Amino acid sequence: MWRSTFVTLAVHRLKLNFTCSYSPFGREEHGAKGHLSLKLPSPSRLPILYVILSVLVLISVVPMYFYSAQVESINRDRLITNERLLQNTVTRSLADDISQRQESLRMMQANLSSALQVASGGDITSEHVEAPELRALLENFVSSSDDLAYATLLNSEAKGISAGRIAPDAFLQRELERAYAASREGRVYNGQALVVGTGKSARTVMLVSTPVMYGGRFLGMIGSVVDLQFLIRRLQEVNRAGLTPYVVDSQGRLVAGATSDYATGQDMSNLEIVKNFVEAGTKAQMVAATREFNVRDGQNNIKMLGTYSPVTNLDWAVIVQKPRADAYRGVYEMQRNARNLALMAIVLSIGISIFAARRITNPLEVLTHFSRAIAGGDFSQRVHVKSRTEIGELAETFNVMSEELEHFVLDLKNAANENRDLFMGSIQMLAGAVDEKDPYTRGHSDRVTRYSMMIAKEMGVAEDYIEIVRISAQLHDVGKIGIEDGILKKPGALTPEEFEIMKTHTTKGANILRPVAQLKDMIPGIELHHESLDGRGYPRGLKGDEIPLLPRIIAVADTFDALTTNRPYQHAHDPKEALKIIHNLSGKRLDPTAVAAITAIYERGEIRIPRPSLPAPQVTPQEIASPAPAVASASPVSHPSALAETIAVAQATRA
């Protein structure tokens, strides 16, 4: 082919450029090596090395750069979002826990209030407030929860009883007075966080009170001192995970923290995120917020990332914060690694491009030099290029051409015309030749053609379109003429490499027919009959309506025949079982309308499947002795046992 192509080009150049003159001096006037006189231009040219190198670098480096930049941007955004989502989740979880405990305590106080009213008959005056049954109720209330450190019942005269494991100090007494005043007004009271005790016995507590009402009349107050140790433990767990958590009230004062860096009741509004919560007021009680802010540490400003979530029934906020460098450490590491890898890939691509370009251009430079000599009429030149590629073959062609050009130019032109006619005629015989290559698929194209036409008619397509279906179905596997027999006839599983080669039969078939303009409408059925509605087909991975009707029809017919005939990799299925498998693939891989059409045709008895004449796959004695499957070692494409996978693989590899 190379010889024919180059000779034809040489003939055209000779016709256009050479001048022939007659002289009585004969050969001596034109030189000893030839009788063609040719003046060749020497135009300025761009070295092909630069062109190839530029193209290789362009198609490798530029897409890689934009791809890596896009991936880096996407991953950076995802990592940042994940970190913010983590902080939001932690604060929301803590806030919900605090809120639920507060609601639980309120319900317990309400239940205690009801029990006290029943036990006292609505009378908790001085004569009755110290009754044993009321004291027992109060003690049971305190012992019902580890979070309750103290509880008191005060009547309308501010006299009453108490129970618990702590004794109120002056600060707690002041809180009890505020709570009692609020109860007289019919309001619940949530006190400030206080520290009671000293040293290891110190505890952070908070007073919660509820008025005791009977018939709209104020009877007294139930006050409960809640030990916030449960909250501190939760905050410490979060702190061990790398976050700094703390809880503040509506005025920005610290309620509880995970470390001893801040004291309970300390004003935290100097931190920007706390300040934002305090300034937002009631709006802050609606939604959580994530902020980036600065914290001053001596002479340095540390950039922080923080999130607060409100505890609505206490006017508190749970806040977690983390240095932004730590929060986004994964982002920075990803960016650094991605850039380093991209740089290495770019350097490697450039190096490979230079090497590949020189491997291509060096022989071409030699060929260019000698082709100009040959075109100038010097047929004594010989090209010495060692290459196993087409360039090496071209070099051999040069050498043969230099010896035989004058004798075979006319013969080669005639041969080229004959080859062209032979090629046009060969296209019409390819379909039959394909089926003859593999005894297991003999008659496959004829059967697929018959089923495809029946499906098309059942679907009500136009008559002229049925003719397109017939031709396309007949030639749907024409590309297998280009698949080597070792793969096409392999009785066992295909390796991934063989599978990829087998998949090229669709594009090979399309390429075979593409030069024939009259067959352009049939090409989609040949090229796309292994596409799948779910996008997992080949060669283009088309999905849904992207696949034309023609390959959809052929795909169903092809699948049905593949299932109902013996193959090296499977036994023939019963037609009903085959239709069941096809229905399982309907809407996923195969067109539902075409599936319904072939089902209707079979149920009317128009399709009859004779008993397969070829034997089912056999197991050799050697295979019995050595049960390891006879497949290639490099991740073979095995034949699955599941019905749906069977047809998927069968359709992809052999159908």
Side-chain angles (χ1 to χ4, degrees):
M1 180 179 176
W2 274 100
R3 183 191 303 180
S4 175
T5 303
F6 184 82
V7 169
T8 305
L9 292 174
V11 169
H12 285 310
R13 292 185 63 185
L14 290 173
K15 284 183 178 180
L16 292 174
N17 295 319
F18 83 89
T19 57
C20 182
S21 60
Y22 171 78
S23 169
F25 297 99
R27 179 175 296 182
E28 287 75 9
E29 182 176 335
H30 296 283
K33 292 186 178 180
H35 63 277
L36 296 176
S37 177
L38 182 62
K39 294 182 179 180
L40 296 175
S42 299
S44 60
R45 60 184 175 85
L46 179 66
I48 193 171
L49 172 65
Y50 299 154
V51 176
I52 295 177
L53 181 59
S54 300
V55 171
L56 290 177
V57 171
L58 185 66
I59 64 177
S60 61
V61 174
V62 174
M64 186 180 301
Y65 170 79
F66 285 107
Y67 175 77
S68 62
Q70 184 68 16
V71 170
E72 179 182 325
S73 175
I74 293 173
N75 288 337
R76 182 180 64 249
D77 293 339
R78 286 178 178 174
L79 288 172
I80 291 174
T81 300
N82 288 343
E83 180 62 33
R84 290 173 174 246
L85 182 60
L86 171 64
Q87 291 195 3
N88 188 281
T89 302
V90 169
T91 56
R92 188 69 265 162
S93 175
L94 285 171
D96 289 342
D97 191 10
I98 296 170
S99 181
Q100 289 172 6
R101 286 176 179 267
Q102 180 67 8
E103 290 297 330
S104 177
L105 178 59
R106 290 292 180 192
M107 291 180 62
M108 290 170 63
Q109 287 183 335
N111 292 337
L112 177 60
S113 176
S114 299
L116 289 172
Q117 293 177 36
V118 172
S120 65
D123 184 4
I124 57 174
T125 57
S126 299
E127 295 81 12
H128 301 91
V129 72
E130 294 184 2
E133 58 268 26
L134 299 187
R135 184 176 296 277
L137 286 172
L138 191 63
E139 289 175 351
N140 289 336
F141 172 73
V142 174
S143 62
S144 65
S145 174
D146 293 337
D147 296 336
L148 291 177
Y150 175 84
T152 182
L153 170 63
L154 299 178
N155 60 18
S156 59
E157 301 168 359
K159 296 180 180 180
I161 56 176
S162 61
R165 60 180 180 271
I166 65 172
D169 58 12
F171 296 100
L172 192 52
Q173 286 290 358
R174 205 159 38 242
E175 280 294 290
L176 286 168
E177 292 172 2
R178 295 192 185 101
Y180 188 79
S183 295
R184 276 195 168 278
E185 297 173 3
R187 294 185 292 108
V188 297
Y189 179 79
N190 296 316
Q192 300 178 9
L194 300 173
V195 176
V196 296
T198 58
K200 294 183 179 180
S201 63
R203 288 288 186 271
T204 301
V205 299
M206 179 190 70
L207 178 64
V208 178
S209 70
T210 301
V212 180
M213 309 293 291
Y214 184 76
R217 181 168 53 90
F218 173 73
L219 296 182
M221 175 196 80
I222 298 173
S224 304
V225 177
V226 181
D227 189 346
L228 297 180
Q229 191 61 28
F230 79 91
L231 177 57
I232 295 174
R233 285 195 299 269
R234 287 293 307 276
L235 296 177
Q236 289 172 345
E237 291 174 2
V238 174
N239 182 252
R240 286 193 289 271
L243 294 169
T244 301
Y246 51 93
V247 180
V248 297
D249 61 18
S250 59
Q251 298 179 3
R253 292 173 300 192
L254 183 68
V255 174
T259 65
S260 59
D261 294 342
Y262 302 104
T264 301
Q266 180 176 339
D267 186 5
M268 304 288 289
S269 58
N270 60 315
L271 297 178
E272 185 178 345
I273 191 166
V274 178
K275 184 179 179 181
N276 290 339
F277 167 73
V278 174
E279 291 178 349
T282 56
K283 292 182 180 178
Q285 301 299 324
M286 304 292 291
V287 293
T290 301
R291 299 280 189 273
E292 292 185 0
F293 59 98
N294 295 328
V295 172
R296 191 156 190 85
D297 183 14
Q299 299 297 323
N300 301 322
N301 275 336
I302 301 177
K303 295 182 177 180
M304 306 289 289
L305 177 70
T307 301
Y308 71 78
S309 290
V311 183
T312 54
N313 54 4
L314 286 173
D315 293 337
W316 290 355
V318 178
I319 300 175
V320 296
Q321 63 188 39
K322 191 177 189 180
R324 196 171 68 174
D326 294 337
Y328 295 162
R329 187 183 304 278
V331 177
Y332 302 142
E333 290 179 356
M334 181 275 298
Q335 288 179 325
R336 183 170 60 255
N337 293 336
R339 290 168 184 171
N340 290 338
L341 289 175
L343 180 61
M344 292 173 57
I346 289 173
V347 172
L348 181 62
S349 297
I350 293 175
I352 294 175
S353 298
I354 294 174
F355 174 79
R358 287 208 172 273
R359 291 281 295 178
I360 295 173
T361 57
N362 287 344
L364 288 178
E365 289 176 358
V366 174
L367 291 172
T368 300
H369 171 74
F370 287 107
S371 66
R372 293 181 66 85
I374 293 173
D378 184 3
F379 300 106
S380 66
Q381 296 289 342
R382 294 295 181 269
V383 180
H384 301 285
V385 174
K386 294 182 179 180
S387 175
R388 298 174 63 88
T389 66
E390 290 85 352
I391 295 178
E393 184 180 351
L394 182 60
E396 294 178 4
T397 303
F398 268 97
N399 295 332
V400 175
M401 180 179 57
S402 64
E403 297 176 357
E404 301 181 356
L405 181 62
E406 291 180 318
H407 301 91
F408 294 103
V409 166
L410 182 60
D411 292 339
L412 290 174
K413 289 177 63 177
N414 293 335
N417 292 332
E418 292 174 2
N419 287 337
R420 187 181 302 109
D421 295 339
L422 179 60
F423 172 74
M424 295 300 296
S426 297
I427 286 294
Q428 301 174 2
M429 298 183 292
L430 286 177
V434 170
D435 284 357
E436 290 298 318
K437 288 190 69 176
D438 188 351
Y440 281 96
T441 60
R442 186 167 294 130
H444 171 68
S445 296
D446 292 336
R447 292 191 298 272
V448 171
T449 301
R450 181 163 59 91
Y451 298 153
S452 298
M453 293 178 65
M454 296 171 74
I455 293 172
K457 291 178 181 178
E458 183 70 19
M459 294 173 66
V461 302
E463 192 65 31
D464 54 348
Y465 191 79
I466 293 178
E467 183 64 17
I468 294 175
V469 172
R470 184 184 71 82
I471 297 174
S472 183
Q474 189 71 46
L475 297 176
H476 78 282
D477 274 345
V478 71
K480 289 186 179 178
I481 200 73
I483 305 298
E484 60 180 287
D485 289 352
I487 296 175
L488 192 64
K489 298 181 179 181
K490 185 174 181 180
L494 298 182
T495 67
E497 293 78 11
E498 293 170 338
F499 178 56
E500 291 300 321
I501 294 173
M502 179 65 75
K503 287 165 60 177
T504 62
H505 79 277
T506 57
T507 53
K508 286 180 182 291
N511 291 336
I512 289 173
L513 298 188
R514 194 163 279 118
V516 183
Q518 291 82 354
L519 299 179
K520 66 178 182 179
D521 292 335
M522 295 72 173
I523 291 178
I526 297 168
E527 187 176 22
L528 307 178
H529 69 277
H530 281 304
E531 295 287 355
S532 177
L533 293 182
D534 58 9
R536 298 171 63 183
Y538 63 88
R540 301 182 187 174
L542 301 181
K543 184 182 295 185
D545 293 338
E546 296 175 350
I547 306 173
L549 177 61
L550 181 58
R552 293 186 186 209
I553 293 174
I554 296 175
V556 173
D558 190 27
T559 302
F560 182 78
D561 185 67
L563 283 171
T564 55
T565 55
N566 275 328
R567 298 297 175 93
Y569 49 86
Q570 72 168 23
H571 293 281
H573 292 284
D574 179 82
K576 292 183 179 180
E577 183 183 2
L579 287 175
K580 182 179 179 180
I581 296 174
I582 289 175
H583 274 279
N584 289 336
L585 300 175
S586 178
K588 302 172 185 175
R589 295 179 181 271
L590 302 178
D591 181 73
T593 306
V595 170
I598 197 171
T599 303
I601 295 168
Y602 178 79
E603 290 176 351
R604 290 199 301 267
E606 297 179 17
I607 295 179
R608 297 186 179 275
I609 308 297
R611 181 179 297 275
S613 58
L614 291 178
Q618 300 296 320
V619 180
T620 65
Q622 292 80 3
E623 290 174 326
I624 296 175
S626 177
V631 295
S633 61
S635 300
V637 179
S638 61
H639 304 303
S641 59
L643 292 181
E645 292 179 351
T646 297
I647 180 55
V649 173
Q651 187 180 1
T653 59
R654 306 288 193 162

